Each structure stands twice: as C-alpha cells, then as structure tokens.
Amino acid sequence: MCYVPRTQHRYLPSRAIPTVITPVQQHTHQRTMPLRALPGPALAGGIQVSGDKSISHRALIIGGLARGRTKVTGLLEGHDVLATGAAMRAMGARIERFDSGVWSIDGTGVGALLAPDAALDFGNAGTGARLIMGLVAGHGLTASFTGDASLRKRPMGRVLTPLREIGARVVTGEGERLPLTLEGARDPIPITYRLPVPSAQVKSAILLAGLNSAGVTTVIEPEATRDHTERMLEFFGAKLEMGEESDGGRRIALIGRPDLVGRDITVPGDPSSAAFPVVAGLIVPGSRLAVERVMVNPTRAGLFDTLSEMGATIRQTNLRTLGGEPVADIEVVAGPLSGVDVPAARAPSMIDEYPVLAVAAAFAQGTSVMRGLAELRVKESDRLAAIVSGLAANGVAARIEGDDLIVEGTGGRVPGGGTVETFLDHRIAMSFLVMGLGAERPVTIDDASMIATSFPDFVDLMTGLGARLEPVS
Ligand code: S3P
C-alpha cells in the first residue's frame, strides 16, 4: 500500500478538477456518437486497463469520510466515479487531483458530513447513488439525489427499505425512483438485514449507514457479492466480523462509530473493463494479447473461469497483491470456443460481464445457457433485452427463458452487419463493438458516448491493440 506521488507539488485548486461535469447536464448537451467496429487484423500487445470502478467509488466515499488524508493512485477517472467525487466534496470532503489517476482526499471524520447545498447528480451511476444514500441515511442530514434517464428508471426501493429501518425518511420521490430527497437518521438504528437480492450496492449502503450507528449493523447475504466495501473499511480501521450462515450465506457485522483514518490506496485494474479486450483477443482470429495487473478477487472473477470452461486459451500469470486485492496478468490466445452452461450461483461474481460473455457465446460452437439473470433487467439498461436484440440485429439467435439467457453459437461465423441500440448502457456499447471486430461484417452501435462512464480509454486501448473502430457520420 506504499504511495509515491508521481508529481509531488503540482497541487490543483479544488475548482480545477476539470472532468467533474454535472452528468445530467452533460447528457442533455451531448450528441450521440455512433461508432462502427470493423472486422480486421489480429489483435496483439500488452495493455493496462484503468482502475476498478467499484474500488474507485469506495476510495472516494470512505476516504471522504475518514479522518485525515487518503492518497489514491490509479483512480478511475470515468464520469461515474467523478460524480461520486463531486458528491463527497459537496458533503465536506476536500478532494484534489494531482495527476492522472493520482488524487488526495481529506475526509470529514465519521459523523461530520455536511448537508449538500444542491441536489447530488450521479449521472449514470447506480453505485455512487446507492452508496451515498447509505451515508446520508446514517448521518442525520438531508440530501436530494438525481441522475440521467437511465438511472432515473432504476429501482431504489431495494436500498430505501433497509435505510428506512435504520431511521431514514424519504421525503420526496415517487415510485422509489430518482429524483428523491432523503432525510438521514440523527441516531441511526443498528439493524440486522437479510438481502432479498444479491447486491453489493445494497450491502454497502447498509454498512455505510451503520458506520455512524452506536451498535452493531449486520448484513446477511445469501450469496457472496463483491467484498470491496468490507475490505476497504477494515483497511481504514473499522472492525468487522464475518461469519457463515448454515445455508451457506455470509454474515457481515460492522461495529459502529469506528475511528476511520485516511490511508494510501492503489486501485488495481478493473476486471469488468479487462473483459472487453480479453474476449476480443479470443474471438478475433490470430490474436494474442495480455491485460496486465487485473484484479482477480474471487467475488469478481467469474468471467475468467467461464471462458476457461469454454475452452479458451486464457492464463493468469504473475499473481500478486496490489492495494489489498489479488491481481494477475491475463494472457489470451484466439481459438475455438464451445458453448457453456453457467450456473446461477456464479452470477454475482460476473454480473457485469454477461453482455460480453454473450458475445463470446455467439462465436462459440454450440448452445450456451446463462442461468439466473433477473438482476440484468435492472442494470444501466434491461440488459437481457438489449443483448438479445443486439445479437438478433447481427444474425445470432438468442432468447430469454424465465431468467435464463440462451445463445445459439455460430461456431465462429457471426454475420454482423447490424446496428445495435445501446440504451445509455456502456457495457452494451463495448460488448457489441467487440463483436464487430470478429464478425464477418462491421457492427455499428448507435451511441458510444456512455463508454466514458466506466472506461474512458477503451477506444484508444483497443485501437492500440490493432482494432479498427471508426466514427459513423
Ligand atoms: C457494484 C455492484 C453491482 C454491479 C455494479 C457495481 C458495486 O451492482 O453491477 O456495476 O460497485 O457495488 P448490484 O449491487 O446492483 O448487483
């Protein structure tokens, strides 16, 4: 966890975080950016993808709450994370950018957040909105939450229900959707809550609310979801006790009112971003590439296991620890893939990777079945519907049966030639661009602008590997 700032004294005034744009404004003013991926040359080379989105959000939130200074290196500077930074700043944290990915945060201390003057705008980001609802709920302050058209459609009841048990009140907001105003509890009640859906966002919101509670807040999750909040809270000095339930679930108990103290954090590469070049390297004939220092925390690595089961040549080398998380270099060589049956129990460890797995499945020989995907309906778009219609537009048969997704593989001969509707969803956009690189004809997406929410370097990194991506006028 050693931190060596790359630029020691290039201290930017707080107004100078150039990229913190109000996301709703940004969305209103931006034009859609159609982009086309051309089938083409083999991809080759070694790249590093930007920092993990989940960890970057948490670094700003927990660092913004902790007493003293947190230094972050490798922070993802995507729109989603910058919106979280802007929200933490509006609640009293001092957040400064030194250099690309290198930030410092002076936190307020647990219990000392301020009420923001204006509505907090989270743009496209469910994680930022839901986690900060947790903070507000436990801090006796009132804040309004809003976001873009995609975020305003997403369910917030899953997080508001436990936060009401803690003592928070939703004072405006219809249908448990944004925009809404939340009034936090002055004396938050320590609750025990069993998650009805496997959601790291809901778990994290409850734990963050519990930080300012005088007792022990317990979350029981039937299936393990990403554990970055637990890891980071412990790293900053909180006491958590983990246990196993008799039904195999996990129990996480947080002792309230810890003295969180600022720390130095290095953010490892995002496995959800690495997924795109990894799948591209498997489906574009002749490719051989490596994505370096990718986080392989078991609660996030389900895609890599699934690709191995499909017969992919995929190797994890140079396994080490970075920023308290396991990381590895991921090397892939293109080759035939076979259909796979992905059990529902694996879904939490690869929940964001199904769009790109569906693309890999389209190139495979045989049928793939991905089970238990109800949660995909409430992501940045209804991803089950978006995947099936994107595949159909490019000549690949797929269907939804209950909560399962079934893709009929083409044995490597995806026709392509279609235009994909992306529904303000960055991962749908990147997945279908990857498809176009290996298809028989180009694949066009209606809008690439949302890619900047999570993976601003996507186009540069992919073209650096040899991919042909061209704007469509
Ligand atoms: C996230 C949790 C997941 C994931 C999202 C990031 C997080 O959402 O899809 O992209 O950082 O906690 P859910 O908690 O809704 O499953």
Side-chain angles (χ1 to χ4, degrees):
M1 295 274 183
C2 170
Y3 173 80
V4 185
R6 275 182 273 163
T7 313
Q8 278 283 9
H9 298 295
R10 215 143 46 83
Y11 189 81
L12 301 178
S14 34
R15 287 200 308 290
I17 298 180
T19 29
V20 178
I21 312 161
T22 308
V24 159
Q25 235 179 11
Q26 168 204 116
H27 194 73
T28 315
H29 292 301
Q30 87 195 353
R31 285 201 216 106
T32 54
M33 289 168 37
L35 195 64
R36 178 177 297 141
L38 303 163
L43 306 177
I47 56 169
Q48 292 196 348
V49 293
S50 33
D52 184 67
K53 180 155 76 72
S54 293
I55 294 185
S56 296
H57 280 296
R58 287 157 173 82
L60 290 167
I61 293 172
I62 298 173
L65 191 64
R67 180 169 64 78
R69 178 161 289 198
T70 290
K71 292 173 182 160
V72 188
T73 187
L75 187 88
L76 168 65
E77 294 178 349
H79 292 167
D80 280 13
V81 171
L82 295 174
T84 290
M88 288 308 296
R89 219 202 228 166
M91 294 198 295
R94 279 197 64 201
I95 302 179
E96 308 290 344
R97 181 180 190 263
F98 282 73
D99 200 349
S100 174
V102 183
W103 294 62
S104 79
I105 308 157
D106 289 291
T108 60
V110 173
L113 288 175
L114 305 175
D117 292 337
L120 303 174
D121 186 341
F122 290 92
N124 196 246
T127 307
R130 293 186 176 124
L131 268 56
I132 291 184
M133 281 181 196
L135 270 193
V136 167
H139 268 79
L141 48 92
T142 298
S144 298
F145 294 76
T146 189
D148 73 4
S150 154
L151 190 55
R152 276 183 264 136
K153 281 192 204 141
R154 298 181 66 187
M156 295 297 154
R158 53 180 56 203
V159 99
L160 296 173
T161 299
L163 296 182
R164 284 188 179 105
E165 284 187 26
I166 284 165
R169 281 193 333 128
V170 180
V171 287
T172 66
E174 283 187 13
E176 309 282 72
R177 300 270 191 280
L178 299 190
L180 61 82
T181 300
L182 192 65
E183 186 184 286
R186 287 195 189 287
D187 195 8
I189 300 164
I191 61 166
T192 295
Y193 192 79
R194 176 175 266 274
L195 296 182
V197 284
S199 166
Q201 293 178 359
V202 178
K203 168 178 68 177
S204 302
I206 299 167
L207 293 174
L208 292 171
L211 284 172
N212 195 33
S213 164
V216 178
T217 297
T218 304
V219 182
I220 299 163
E221 51 178 8
E223 293 160 75
T225 65
R226 65 192 70 195
D227 59 359
H228 311 305
T229 303
E230 298 92 299
R231 285 177 187 246
M232 201 180 288
L233 283 174
E234 280 188 320
F235 183 56
F236 278 72
K239 292 250 173 320
L240 286 99
E241 280 162 19
M242 316 292 180
E244 282 220 356
E245 295 290 282
S246 51
D247 62 1
R250 286 196 333 143
R251 167 180 285 263
I252 304 135
L254 167 84
I255 299 165
R257 307 227 167 119
D259 183 23
L260 296 182
V261 183
R263 298 292 304 262
D264 296 352
I265 297 177
T266 303
V267 184
D270 194 330
S272 300
S273 297
F276 302 106
V278 160
V279 170
L282 294 172
I283 63 170
V284 180
S287 299
R288 172 185 287 270
L289 60 87
V291 188
E292 293 156 13
R293 62 127 185 80
V294 178
M295 180 178 45
V296 289
N297 176 324
T299 63
R300 297 287 299 281
L303 175 73
F304 305 132
D305 299 338
T306 304
L307 292 172
S308 294
E309 288 173 13
M310 295 173 82
T313 303
I314 178 166
R315 276 200 324 146
Q316 294 186 13
T317 59
N318 201 7
L319 196 61
R320 58 214 185 266
T321 302
L322 180 70
E325 295 277 357
V327 298
D329 300 337
I330 306 211
E331 299 172 5
V332 295
V333 181
L337 299 173
S338 43
V340 67
D341 190 327
V342 190
R346 196 179 293 164
S349 70
M350 54 177 296
I351 194 67
D352 292 335
E353 281 66 79
Y354 284 98
V356 79
L357 176 63
V359 168
F363 284 86
Q365 181 73 52
T367 305
S368 291
V369 184
M370 303 163 210
R371 300 182 190 275
L373 302 186
E375 278 296 295
L376 289 199
R377 296 197 171 91
V378 291
K379 294 296 178 190
E380 285 82 333
S381 67
D382 174 347
R383 284 188 178 155
L384 278 181
I387 291 169
V388 170
S389 75
L391 291 174
N394 288 287
V396 179
R399 62 188 186 280
I400 302 162
E401 281 180 12
D403 293 334
D404 301 341
L405 173 64
I406 295 139
V407 178
E408 301 296 347
T410 60
R413 297 183 64 86
V414 168
T419 296
V420 174
E421 214 180 328
T422 54
F423 305 101
L424 298 178
D425 190 326
H426 53 132
R427 298 199 203 284
I428 295 296
M430 290 184 276
S431 299
F432 282 98
L433 289 172
V434 166
M435 171 178 260
L437 302 176
E440 294 182 336
R441 284 180 297 153
V443 171
T444 304
I445 60 164
D446 65 348
D447 185 14
S449 62
M450 300 314 283
I451 292 174
T453 61
S454 70
F455 194 176
D457 299 341
F458 172 80
V459 170
D460 286 349
L461 286 177
M462 294 303 293
T463 49
L465 290 169
R468 291 199 297 152
L469 300 171
E470 63 175 32
V472 180
S473 46

Coordinates of all heavy atoms in Angstrom, one line a residue, residues 34-102:
P34 N -22.4 7.6 -32.8 CA -22.4 6.3 -33.4 C -21.0 5.9 -33.7 O -20.1 6.7 -34.1 CB -23.2 6.4 -34.7 CG -23.9 7.8 -34.6 CD -23.1 8.6 -33.7
L35 N -20.7 4.6 -33.6 CA -19.3 4.1 -33.8 C -19.4 2.7 -34.4 O -20.4 2.0 -34.1 CB -18.6 4.0 -32.5 CG -17.1 3.8 -32.5 CD1 -16.4 5.1 -33.1 CD2 -16.6 3.7 -31.0
R36 N -18.5 2.4 -35.3 CA -18.5 1.1 -36.0 C -17.2 0.4 -35.8 O -16.2 0.9 -35.8 CB -18.7 1.4 -37.5 CG -18.7 0.2 -38.4 CD -19.0 0.5 -39.8 NE -20.2 1.2 -40.0 CZ -20.5 2.2 -40.9 NH1 -19.5 2.7 -41.6 NH2 -21.7 2.7 -41.0
A37 N -17.4 -0.9 -35.5 CA -16.2 -1.8 -35.4 C -16.1 -2.6 -36.7 O -17.1 -3.3 -37.1 CB -16.4 -2.7 -34.2
L38 N -14.9 -2.6 -37.2 CA -14.7 -3.3 -38.5 C -14.0 -4.6 -38.2 O -13.0 -4.7 -37.4 CB -13.8 -2.5 -39.4 CG -14.5 -1.1 -39.7 CD1 -13.4 -0.2 -40.3 CD2 -15.6 -1.3 -40.7
P39 N -14.4 -5.7 -38.9 CA -13.7 -7.0 -38.7 C -12.3 -6.7 -39.2 O -12.1 -6.0 -40.2 CB -14.4 -7.9 -39.7 CG -15.6 -7.2 -40.2 CD -15.5 -5.8 -39.8
G40 N -11.3 -7.3 -38.6 CA -10.0 -6.9 -39.1 C -8.9 -7.7 -38.5 O -9.0 -8.9 -38.2
P41 N -7.7 -7.0 -38.5 CA -6.5 -7.7 -38.2 C -6.5 -8.3 -36.8 O -7.2 -7.9 -35.9 CB -5.5 -6.6 -38.3 CG -6.2 -5.3 -38.2 CD -7.6 -5.6 -38.6
A42 N -5.6 -9.3 -36.7 CA -5.4 -9.9 -35.3 C -5.0 -8.8 -34.4 O -4.3 -7.8 -34.7 CB -4.3 -10.9 -35.5
L43 N -5.4 -9.0 -33.1 CA -5.0 -8.0 -32.1 C -3.8 -8.5 -31.3 O -3.7 -9.7 -31.1 CB -6.2 -7.9 -31.1 CG -7.6 -7.5 -31.7 CD1 -8.6 -7.5 -30.6 CD2 -7.5 -6.2 -32.4
A44 N -2.9 -7.6 -31.0 CA -1.7 -8.0 -30.4 C -1.2 -7.0 -29.4 O -1.3 -5.8 -29.7 CB -0.6 -8.4 -31.4
G45 N -0.5 -7.4 -28.4 CA 0.2 -6.4 -27.5 C -0.2 -6.6 -26.0 O -0.9 -7.5 -25.7
G46 N 0.3 -5.7 -25.2 CA 0.1 -5.8 -23.8 C -0.5 -4.4 -23.3 O 0.0 -3.4 -23.7
I47 N -1.6 -4.4 -22.6 CA -2.2 -3.2 -22.1 C -2.5 -3.2 -20.6 O -2.5 -4.3 -20.0 CB -3.5 -2.8 -22.9 CG1 -4.5 -4.0 -22.7 CG2 -3.2 -2.5 -24.3 CD1 -5.9 -3.6 -23.2
Q48 N -2.7 -2.1 -20.0 CA -3.3 -2.0 -18.7 C -4.6 -1.2 -18.8 O -4.6 -0.1 -19.4 CB -2.3 -1.2 -17.8 CG -1.0 -1.9 -17.5 CD -0.3 -1.4 -16.3 OE1 -0.6 -0.3 -15.8 NE2 0.7 -2.1 -15.9
V49 N -5.6 -1.8 -18.2 CA -6.9 -1.1 -18.2 C -7.0 -0.2 -17.0 O -6.2 -0.3 -16.0 CB -8.1 -2.0 -18.2 CG1 -8.2 -2.8 -19.5 CG2 -8.1 -3.0 -17.0
S50 N -7.9 0.8 -17.0 CA -8.0 1.8 -15.9 C -8.4 1.1 -14.6 O -8.9 0.0 -14.6 CB -8.9 2.9 -16.3 OG -9.9 2.5 -17.2
G51 N -8.3 1.9 -13.6 CA -8.6 1.4 -12.2 C -10.0 0.9 -12.0 O -11.0 1.3 -12.7
D52 N -10.2 0.0 -11.1 CA -11.5 -0.7 -10.9 C -12.5 0.4 -10.4 O -12.3 1.2 -9.5 CB -11.4 -1.7 -9.8 CG -12.7 -2.5 -9.6 OD1 -13.1 -3.2 -10.5 OD2 -13.3 -2.3 -8.5
K53 N -13.7 0.3 -11.1 CA -14.8 1.3 -10.8 C -15.3 1.2 -9.4 O -15.5 2.2 -8.7 CB -15.9 1.1 -11.9 CG -17.0 2.1 -11.7 CD -17.7 2.3 -13.0 CE -18.6 1.2 -13.4 NZ -19.9 1.1 -12.6
S54 N -15.6 -0.1 -9.0 CA -16.1 -0.3 -7.6 C -15.2 0.2 -6.6 O -15.6 0.9 -5.6 CB -16.4 -1.8 -7.4 OG -17.4 -2.2 -8.2
I55 N -13.9 -0.1 -6.7 CA -12.9 0.4 -5.7 C -12.7 1.9 -5.8 O -12.6 2.6 -4.7 CB -11.6 -0.4 -5.9 CG1 -11.9 -1.9 -5.6 CG2 -10.5 0.2 -5.0 CD1 -10.6 -2.7 -5.6
S56 N -12.8 2.5 -7.0 CA -12.6 3.9 -7.1 C -13.8 4.7 -6.4 O -13.5 5.6 -5.7 CB -12.5 4.3 -8.6 OG -11.4 3.7 -9.2
H57 N -15.0 4.2 -6.6 CA -16.1 4.8 -5.8 C -15.9 4.8 -4.3 O -16.0 5.8 -3.6 CB -17.4 4.1 -6.1 CG -18.1 4.4 -7.4 ND1 -18.6 5.6 -7.7 CD2 -18.4 3.6 -8.5 CE1 -19.2 5.6 -8.9 NE2 -19.1 4.3 -9.4
R58 N -15.5 3.6 -3.9 CA -15.4 3.4 -2.4 C -14.2 4.2 -1.9 O -14.2 4.6 -0.7 CB -15.2 1.9 -2.1 CG -16.6 1.1 -2.3 CD -16.3 -0.3 -2.6 NE -17.6 -1.1 -2.6 CZ -18.4 -1.2 -3.6 NH1 -18.2 -0.6 -4.8 NH2 -19.5 -2.0 -3.6
A59 N -13.1 4.3 -2.7 CA -12.0 5.1 -2.2 C -12.4 6.6 -1.9 O -12.0 7.2 -0.9 CB -10.8 5.1 -3.2
L60 N -13.2 7.1 -2.8 CA -13.7 8.5 -2.6 C -14.6 8.6 -1.4 O -14.6 9.6 -0.7 CB -14.3 9.0 -3.9 CG -13.3 9.3 -5.1 CD1 -14.1 9.5 -6.4 CD2 -12.5 10.5 -4.8
I61 N -15.5 7.6 -1.3 CA -16.5 7.7 -0.3 C -15.9 7.4 1.1 O -16.1 8.2 2.1 CB -17.6 6.6 -0.5 CG1 -18.4 7.0 -1.8 CG2 -18.6 6.5 0.7 CD1 -19.4 6.0 -2.3
I62 N -15.1 6.3 1.2 CA -14.6 6.0 2.5 C -13.4 7.0 2.9 O -13.3 7.4 4.0 CB -14.1 4.5 2.6 CG1 -15.4 3.6 2.4 CG2 -13.4 4.2 3.9 CD1 -15.1 2.2 2.2
G63 N -12.6 7.4 1.9 CA -11.6 8.4 2.1 C -12.2 9.7 2.5 O -11.7 10.4 3.3
G64 N -13.4 10.0 1.9 CA -14.1 11.3 2.2 C -14.7 11.3 3.6 O -14.9 12.4 4.1
L65 N -14.9 10.1 4.1 CA -15.5 10.1 5.5 C -14.4 9.9 6.6 O -14.6 10.4 7.7 CB -16.4 8.8 5.5 CG -17.3 8.7 6.7 CD1 -18.3 9.8 6.7 CD2 -18.0 7.3 6.6
A66 N -13.2 9.3 6.2 CA -12.2 9.1 7.2 C -11.5 10.4 7.6 O -11.5 11.4 6.9 CB -11.1 8.2 6.6
R67 N -11.0 10.4 8.8 CA -10.3 11.5 9.4 C -8.9 11.5 8.7 O -8.3 10.5 8.6 CB -10.2 11.2 10.9 CG -9.5 12.2 11.7 CD -9.7 11.8 13.2 NE -9.2 10.5 13.6 CZ -7.9 10.3 13.9 NH1 -7.0 11.2 13.8 NH2 -7.6 9.1 14.3
G68 N -8.4 12.7 8.3 CA -7.1 12.8 7.7 C -7.0 12.5 6.3 O -8.1 12.5 5.6
R69 N -5.8 12.3 5.7 CA -5.7 12.3 4.3 C -5.6 10.9 3.7 O -4.9 10.0 4.3 CB -4.4 13.1 3.9 CG -4.1 13.0 2.5 CD -3.2 14.1 2.0 NE -3.8 15.4 2.1 CZ -3.3 16.5 1.4 NH1 -2.2 16.4 0.7 NH2 -3.9 17.7 1.5
T70 N -6.3 10.7 2.6 CA -6.2 9.4 1.9 C -5.6 9.8 0.5 O -5.9 10.8 -0.1 CB -7.6 8.8 1.6 OG1 -8.1 8.4 2.9 CG2 -7.6 7.7 0.6
K71 N -4.6 9.0 0.1 CA -4.0 9.3 -1.2 C -4.3 8.1 -2.1 O -4.1 6.9 -1.7 CB -2.5 9.4 -1.1 CG -2.1 10.7 -0.4 CD -0.7 10.8 -0.1 CE -0.3 12.1 0.7 NZ 0.9 12.0 1.4
V72 N -4.8 8.4 -3.3 CA -5.3 7.3 -4.2 C -4.4 7.4 -5.4 O -4.3 8.4 -6.0 CB -6.8 7.4 -4.5 CG1 -7.2 6.2 -5.3 CG2 -7.6 7.6 -3.3
T73 N -3.9 6.2 -5.8 CA -3.3 6.2 -7.1 C -4.0 5.2 -8.0 O -4.5 4.2 -7.5 CB -1.8 5.9 -7.0 OG1 -1.1 6.1 -8.2 CG2 -1.5 4.6 -6.4
G74 N -4.1 5.5 -9.3 CA -4.9 4.6 -10.2 C -6.4 4.8 -10.1 O -7.1 3.9 -10.6
L75 N -6.8 5.9 -9.6 CA -8.3 6.1 -9.6 C -8.9 6.2 -11.0 O -8.3 6.8 -11.9 CB -8.6 7.5 -8.9 CG -10.1 7.7 -8.6 CD1 -10.5 7.2 -7.3 CD2 -10.4 9.2 -8.6
L76 N -10.0 5.5 -11.2 CA -10.7 5.6 -12.5 C -11.3 7.0 -12.6 O -12.1 7.4 -11.8 CB -11.8 4.5 -12.5 CG -12.7 4.6 -13.7 CD1 -12.0 4.4 -15.0 CD2 -13.9 3.7 -13.5
E77 N -10.9 7.7 -13.7 CA -11.5 9.0 -13.9 C -12.6 9.0 -14.9 O -12.7 9.8 -15.8 CB -10.3 10.0 -14.3 CG -9.3 10.1 -13.1 CD -8.1 11.0 -13.5 OE1 -8.0 11.4 -14.6 OE2 -7.4 11.4 -12.5
G78 N -13.5 8.0 -14.8 CA -14.7 7.9 -15.6 C -15.8 8.8 -15.0 O -15.7 9.2 -13.8
H79 N -16.8 9.1 -15.8 CA -17.8 10.1 -15.3 C -18.5 9.6 -14.0 O -18.9 10.4 -13.2 CB -18.9 10.3 -16.4 CG -18.4 11.0 -17.6 ND1 -19.0 11.1 -18.8 CD2 -17.2 11.7 -17.8 CE1 -18.3 11.8 -19.6 NE2 -17.2 12.2 -19.1
D80 N -18.8 8.3 -13.9 CA -19.5 7.7 -12.8 C -18.7 8.1 -11.5 O -19.3 8.5 -10.5 CB -19.6 6.2 -12.9 CG -20.7 5.7 -13.8 OD1 -21.2 6.6 -14.5 OD2 -21.0 4.5 -13.7
V81 N -17.4 7.8 -11.5 CA -16.6 8.0 -10.3 C -16.5 9.5 -10.0 O -16.5 9.9 -8.8 CB -15.2 7.3 -10.5 CG1 -14.3 7.7 -9.4 CG2 -15.4 5.8 -10.7
L82 N -16.3 10.3 -11.0 CA -16.2 11.7 -10.8 C -17.4 12.3 -10.2 O -17.4 13.2 -9.4 CB -15.8 12.4 -12.1 CG -14.5 12.0 -12.7 CD1 -14.3 12.6 -14.1 CD2 -13.3 12.4 -11.8
A83 N -18.6 11.7 -10.5 CA -19.8 12.2 -9.9 C -19.8 11.9 -8.4 O -20.3 12.7 -7.6 CB -21.0 11.6 -10.6
T84 N -19.3 10.7 -8.1 CA -19.2 10.4 -6.6 C -18.2 11.4 -5.9 O -18.5 11.8 -4.8 CB -18.7 8.9 -6.5 OG1 -19.8 8.1 -6.9 CG2 -18.3 8.6 -5.1
G85 N -17.1 11.7 -6.6 CA -16.2 12.7 -6.0 C -16.9 14.0 -5.8 O -16.7 14.6 -4.7
A86 N -17.7 14.4 -6.8 CA -18.3 15.7 -6.6 C -19.3 15.7 -5.5 O -19.5 16.6 -4.7 CB -19.1 16.0 -8.0
A87 N -20.0 14.5 -5.3 CA -21.0 14.4 -4.2 C -20.3 14.5 -2.8 O -20.7 15.1 -1.9 CB -21.8 13.1 -4.3
M88 N -19.1 13.8 -2.7 CA -18.4 13.7 -1.5 C -17.9 15.1 -1.1 O -17.8 15.6 0.0 CB -17.3 12.7 -1.5 CG -17.7 11.3 -1.5 SD -18.9 10.9 -0.1 CE -17.9 11.2 1.3
R89 N -17.5 15.8 -2.2 CA -17.0 17.2 -2.0 C -18.1 18.1 -1.5 O -17.9 18.9 -0.6 CB -16.5 17.7 -3.3 CG -15.3 18.5 -3.2 CD -15.3 19.3 -4.4 NE -14.0 19.2 -5.0 CZ -13.8 19.5 -6.2 NH1 -14.8 19.9 -7.0 NH2 -12.6 19.5 -6.7
A90 N -19.3 17.9 -2.1 CA -20.5 18.7 -1.7 C -20.9 18.4 -0.2 O -21.5 19.2 0.4 CB -21.6 18.4 -2.6
M91 N -20.4 17.3 0.3 CA -20.7 17.0 1.7 C -19.5 17.2 2.6 O -19.5 16.7 3.8 CB -21.2 15.5 1.8 CG -22.5 15.3 1.1 SD -23.4 13.9 1.5 CE -22.3 12.6 0.9
G92 N -18.5 17.9 2.1 CA -17.5 18.4 3.1 C -16.1 17.9 2.9 O -15.2 18.3 3.5
A93 N -15.9 16.8 2.0 CA -14.6 16.3 1.9 C -13.8 17.2 0.9 O -14.4 17.8 0.0 CB -14.7 14.9 1.2
R94 N -12.5 17.3 1.2 CA -11.6 18.1 0.2 C -11.0 17.1 -0.7 O -10.3 16.2 -0.3 CB -10.5 18.8 1.0 CG -11.0 20.1 1.6 CD -9.8 21.0 2.0 NE -9.1 21.4 0.8 CZ -7.8 21.9 0.9 NH1 -7.2 21.9 2.0 NH2 -7.2 22.3 -0.2
I95 N -11.2 17.2 -2.0 CA -10.7 16.2 -2.9 C -9.9 17.0 -4.0 O -10.4 17.9 -4.6 CB -11.9 15.5 -3.6 CG1 -12.7 14.8 -2.4 CG2 -11.4 14.5 -4.6 CD1 -13.9 14.0 -2.9
E96 N -8.7 16.6 -4.2 CA -7.8 17.2 -5.2 C -7.2 16.2 -6.1 O -6.9 15.1 -5.7 CB -6.7 17.9 -4.4 CG -7.1 18.9 -3.3 CD -7.8 20.1 -3.8 OE1 -7.7 20.4 -5.0 OE2 -8.5 20.8 -2.9
R97 N -7.0 16.7 -7.3 CA -6.3 15.8 -8.3 C -4.9 16.3 -8.5 O -4.7 17.5 -8.8 CB -7.1 15.9 -9.6 CG -6.5 15.1 -10.7 CD -7.4 15.3 -12.0 NE -7.1 14.3 -13.0 CZ -6.3 14.6 -14.1 NH1 -5.7 15.8 -14.1 NH2 -6.2 13.7 -15.0
F98 N -3.9 15.4 -8.4 CA -2.5 15.8 -8.5 C -2.1 15.5 -10.0 O -1.3 16.2 -10.5 CB -1.6 14.9 -7.6 CG -1.6 15.3 -6.2 CD1 -2.6 15.1 -5.4 CD2 -0.4 16.0 -5.7 CE1 -2.6 15.5 -4.1 CE2 -0.4 16.4 -4.4 CZ -1.5 16.1 -3.6
D99 N -2.5 14.4 -10.5 CA -2.0 13.9 -11.8 C -3.0 12.9 -12.3 O -3.9 12.5 -11.5 CB -0.6 13.3 -11.6 CG 0.2 13.2 -12.8 OD1 -0.3 13.4 -13.9 OD2 1.4 12.9 -12.7
S100 N -2.8 12.3 -13.4 CA -3.7 11.3 -14.0 C -3.8 10.2 -13.0 O -2.9 9.5 -12.7 CB -3.2 10.8 -15.3 OG -4.0 9.8 -15.7
G101 N -5.0 10.0 -12.4 CA -5.3 8.9 -11.5 C -4.8 9.1 -10.1 O -5.0 8.3 -9.2
V102 N -4.1 10.2 -9.8 CA -3.5 10.4 -8.5 C -4.2 11.5 -7.8 O -4.2 12.7 -8.2 CB -2.0 10.8 -8.7 CG1 -1.4 11.0 -7.3 CG2 -1.3 9.7 -9.5

